[in-house]
């Protein structure tokens, strides 16, 4: 059970500053937001902002612009702060924030009906995108992120299922494209509109046309304008990208990501709508999302190209949809910049095991990461479970080096260490394998007990749950016992 820190304890500022601003009274919000601003004054590095006319203003701190918005002579105070006197010191802000703390019994909490629990994509049990949710779509350049998001926008606006996932009702969508020439994007949307064959879209999709490529959440004036347009068009979903051109100028630590989402949440709060914000982002050189976005937001989607005409959509995080979390869809490009889910027969454990074995047989010494890429269409946990079963059955071996730099055979893949996988009957590693006694138990490998203690298990299945798990995968015959014994004797 987590306990809120006492004021003055390490980390107490971040605890209160990072608290969500939704479902608060005006007074509570004013106090909480003031504290957040006070604590963020020196965090961000200076950066260039864009004015509404497209020009670049002098470099300054984006958080400072939010902090000072009430005192700027040419900017109105944001609603609903209005005439509320905002606290000016940490002590005043903390007192105001604590004044709104409410603790209720479990039955009262769960029996209270509260709006905002509906799904925008999915259903009540599996809200892939919930109302008021923050979504990140990321991938390499040219992977198809923008095309996929435009396709999603059309399905949202039509109220048609997207990639086989239910869209409960037609939605109003605002697209903010912050990258590339406007004429090209205009043509892209025209092709999509002209080829659309779903339910009518009507006027439920709008686009920020001018100034082009200048929007930023970091500028209070832009947030105010966005709130006005959201209210004017009754927008349900905003799709904005890339995020690096929309105010996320820092490297992307978890705190910086949370600070940016505070600005996004400010638009949602001031609009008074359960606004979904879908942000488009790039991946880093390691193929992961650039920045600490795994720890923030509700849904994290990874888009990767799989060759000509194919796309992979991985639900890396679906906080409110356990049926979709950590699952993957293989997509095929279809006419009209649309996508179809590739239907594949469900793979059983035996088939997965044979795919893993075949990959290792073709590429002796391959890494586990390479095996993962060569065997798509299944969850990571399931693939890892089958791999561990192959280790237990003695069909595959991992060759690693111990602390003395000596190669040893392992029946597992150590975390954060590169694996070199071989089939158990690979002659290249026969000298590393322990011989088996008459009852199938291991005997010492050549050279005594040096190196790691986790030696290859006997090639026949172990008893108990491991054997039950591996019934579908027959063990390999013990082809190396004789060779290993002769090696040891020599």
């Amino acid at each position: 059970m987590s306990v809120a820190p006492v004021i003055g304890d390490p980390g107490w500022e971040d605890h209160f500053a990072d608290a969500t601003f939704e479902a608060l009274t005006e007074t509570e919000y004013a106090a909480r937001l003031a504290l957040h601003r006070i604590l963020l004054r020196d965090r961000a590095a200076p950066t260039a902002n864009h004015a509404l006319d497209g020009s670049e203003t002098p470099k300054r701190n984006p958080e400072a612009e939010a902090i000072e918005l009430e005192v700027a002579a040419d900017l109105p105070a944001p609603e609903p702060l209005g005439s509320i006197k905002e606290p000016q010191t940490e002590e005043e802000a903390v007192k105001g924030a604590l004044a709104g703390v409410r603790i209720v019994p479990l039955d009262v909490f769960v029996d209270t009906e509260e709006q905002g629990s509906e799904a925008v994509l999915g259903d009540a049990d599996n809200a892939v995108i919930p109302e008021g949710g923050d979504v990140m779509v990321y991938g390499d350049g040219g992977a198809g992120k923008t095309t996929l998001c435009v396709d999603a926008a059309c399905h949202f606006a039509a109220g048609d299922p997207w990639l086989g996932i239910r869209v409960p009702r037609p939605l109003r969508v605002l697209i903010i494209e912050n990258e590339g020439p406007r004429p090209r994007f205009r043509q892209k949307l025209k092709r999509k509109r002209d080829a659309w064959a779903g339910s009518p879209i009507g006027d439920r999709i709008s686009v920020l046309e001018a100034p082009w490529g200048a929007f930023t959440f970091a500028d209070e004036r832009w947030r105010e304008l966005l709130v006005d347009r959201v209210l004017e068009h009754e927008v349900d979903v905003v799709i904005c990208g890339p995020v690096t051109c929309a105010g996320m100028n820092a490297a992307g630590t978890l705190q910086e990501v949370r600070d940016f989402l505070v600005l996004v949440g400010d638009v949602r709060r001031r609009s008074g709508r359960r606004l979904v914000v879908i942000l488009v982002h790039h991946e880093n050189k390691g193929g992961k999302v650039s920045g600490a976005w795994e720890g923030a937001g509700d849904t994290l989607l990874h888009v990767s190209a799989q060759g000509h005409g194919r796309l992979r959509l991985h639900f890396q995080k679906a906080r409110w949809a356990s049926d979709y979390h950590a699952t993957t869809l293989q997509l095929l490009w279809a006419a009209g910049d649309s996508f179809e889910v590739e239907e594949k027969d469900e793979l059983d454990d035996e088939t997965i095991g044979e795919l893993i074995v075949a990959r290792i047989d073709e590429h002796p010494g391959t890494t586990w990461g390479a095996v993962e890429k060569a065997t798509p269409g299944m969850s990571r946990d399931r693939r890892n479970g089958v791999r561990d079963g192959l280790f237990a059955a003695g069909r595959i071996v991992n060759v690693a080096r111990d602390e003395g730099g000596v190669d040893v055979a392992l029946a597992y893949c150590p975390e954060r260490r590169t694996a070199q996988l071989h089939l158990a009957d690979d002659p290249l590693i026969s000298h590393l394998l322990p011989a088996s006694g008459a009852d199938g138990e291991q005997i010492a490998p050549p050279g005594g007990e040096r190196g790691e203690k986790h030696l290859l298990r006997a090639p026949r299945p172990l008893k108990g749950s491991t054997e039950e798990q591996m019934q579908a995968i027959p063990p390999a015959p013990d082809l190396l016992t004789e060779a290993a014994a002769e090696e040891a004797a020599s």
Side-chain angles (χ1 to χ4, degrees):
M1 177 179 177
S2 61
V3 179
V6 177
I7 296 175
D9 287 350
W12 73 271
E13 298 100 329
D14 288 338
H15 174 81
F16 289 105
D18 292 340
T20 180
F21 296 157
E22 297 182 15
L24 298 176
T25 66
E26 293 182 4
T27 302
E28 293 166 352
Y29 179 85
R32 197 74 60 83
L33 183 58
L35 175 59
H36 188 86
R37 290 169 177 166
I38 291 168
L39 296 175
L40 292 183
R41 278 189 175 129
D42 300 321
R43 277 187 181 169
T47 183
N49 289 324
H50 295 282
L52 296 184
D53 60 2
S55 62
E56 189 173 277
T57 60
K59 291 186 176 181
R60 58 174 307 179
N61 186 323
E63 274 73 22
E65 191 144 340
I67 293 167
E68 299 163 6
L69 64 92
E70 284 84 11
V71 298
D74 58 338
L75 291 176
E79 297 294 332
L81 298 183
S83 61
I84 298 175
K85 183 179 182 300
E86 190 169 321
Q88 298 301 312
T89 67
E90 289 187 20
E91 183 178 0
E92 292 176 358
V94 169
K95 287 181 179 179
L98 292 177
V101 173
R102 293 186 297 274
I103 299 177
V104 298
L106 174 64
D107 289 343
V108 174
F109 184 82
V110 301
D111 290 339
T112 300
E113 293 187 6
E114 185 174 2
Q115 293 182 336
S117 62
E118 300 300 320
V120 166
L121 179 65
D123 54 38
D125 295 327
N126 283 282
V128 178
I129 300 179
E131 288 184 328
D134 291 316
V135 181
M136 169 65 70
V137 178
Y138 78 97
D140 197 7
K145 303 182 298 294
T146 301
T147 304
L148 191 69
C149 286
V150 169
D151 186 59
C154 291
H155 284 79
F156 292 167
D160 291 347
W162 183 58
L163 306 179
I165 307 174
R166 179 172 178 259
V167 176
R169 61 182 176 86
L171 303 165
R172 305 189 77 86
V173 182
L174 171 61
I175 299 175
I176 302 176
E177 177 60 32
N178 251 12
E179 184 178 55
R182 184 171 63 190
R184 300 298 304 176
F185 191 68
R186 197 186 297 274
Q187 290 181 5
K188 184 181 188 70
L189 293 186
K190 184 179 186 300
R191 288 196 308 270
K192 184 66 178 179
R193 183 204 63 185
D194 293 347
W196 178 251
S199 300
I201 291 176
D203 63 349
R204 288 187 290 275
I205 295 181
S206 53
V207 182
L208 176 59
E209 184 178 34
W212 184 256
F215 174 81
T216 171
F217 281 101
D219 191 320
E220 154 62 20
R221 293 163 293 183
W222 266 115
R223 295 202 306 275
E224 183 179 8
L225 182 144
L226 180 57
V227 170
D228 291 342
R229 297 303 179 267
V230 165
L231 292 173
E232 177 184 354
H233 297 277
E234 298 182 328
V235 173
D236 301 298
V237 179
V238 171
I239 300 176
C240 179
V243 69
T244 51
C245 298
M248 186 64 188
N249 303 292
T253 65
L254 181 57
Q255 187 58 59
E256 288 165 343
V257 168
R258 288 175 173 171
D259 294 346
F260 178 78
L261 289 181
V262 167
L263 302 178
V264 175
D266 183 48
V267 172
R268 181 180 295 118
R269 178 197 62 80
R270 291 165 62 180
S271 71
R273 298 181 62 82
R274 293 185 288 278
L275 186 68
V276 170
V277 178
I278 300 176
L279 301 169
V280 184
H281 196 21
H282 297 292
E283 65 183 35
N284 58 27
K285 293 182 179 179
K288 304 296 183 181
V289 62
S290 182
W293 290 91
E294 297 94 336
D298 300 284
T299 307
L300 184 63
L301 305 178
H302 186 195
V303 180
S304 55
Q306 300 291 295
H308 181 69
R310 302 172 68 89
L311 196 70
R312 174 181 179 269
L313 178 62
H314 179 58
F315 295 82
Q316 184 172 333
K317 176 182 178 181
R319 186 179 183 187
W320 310 110
S322 58
D323 286 357
Y324 290 91
H325 178 74
T327 63
T328 299
L329 292 179
Q330 299 295 331
L331 306 180
L332 301 175
W333 287 73
D337 284 350
S338 61
F339 300 88
E340 296 177 353
V341 178
E342 183 178 13
E343 298 294 342
K344 287 187 175 182
D345 295 333
E346 181 69 22
L347 300 177
D348 57 27
D349 287 357
E350 182 177 3
T351 302
I352 296 174
E354 293 307 325
L355 290 173
I356 294 174
V357 168
R359 174 68 185 186
I360 297 173
D361 187 25
E362 294 173 2
H363 303 275
T366 186
T367 64
W368 178 241
V371 173
E372 287 182 314
K373 291 181 179 179
T375 55
M378 65 199 75
S379 70
R380 182 179 182 182
D381 289 343
R382 188 178 183 196
R383 185 190 294 106
N384 287 353
V386 173
R387 176 203 64 190
D388 294 343
L390 292 170
F391 276 129
R395 297 191 66 185
I396 62 174
V397 178
N398 177 26
V399 176
R401 290 194 173 182
D402 62 13
E403 296 179 357
V406 178
D407 286 341
V408 293
L410 306 179
Y412 69 107
C413 287
E415 294 184 6
R416 294 182 294 277
R417 290 177 59 181
T418 302
Q420 297 183 39
L421 300 173
H422 296 261
L423 298 187
D425 58 1
D426 187 343
L428 294 175
I429 63 166
S430 61
H431 63 289
L432 299 177
L433 302 182
S436 298
D439 58 356
E441 294 182 355
Q442 294 178 357
I443 61 177
E449 296 184 352
R450 68 181 181 180
E452 303 208 21
K453 305 299 182 181
H454 298 277
L455 301 176
L456 181 69
R457 296 188 178 91
R460 71 183 187 184
L462 300 180
K463 298 180 180 180
S465 59
T466 305
E467 182 177 14
E468 295 172 1
Q469 295 172 0
M470 293 306 302
Q471 286 178 352
I473 304 178
D478 188 359
L479 301 177
L480 299 181
T481 301
E482 208 173 318
E486 290 176 0
E487 181 83 23
S490 61

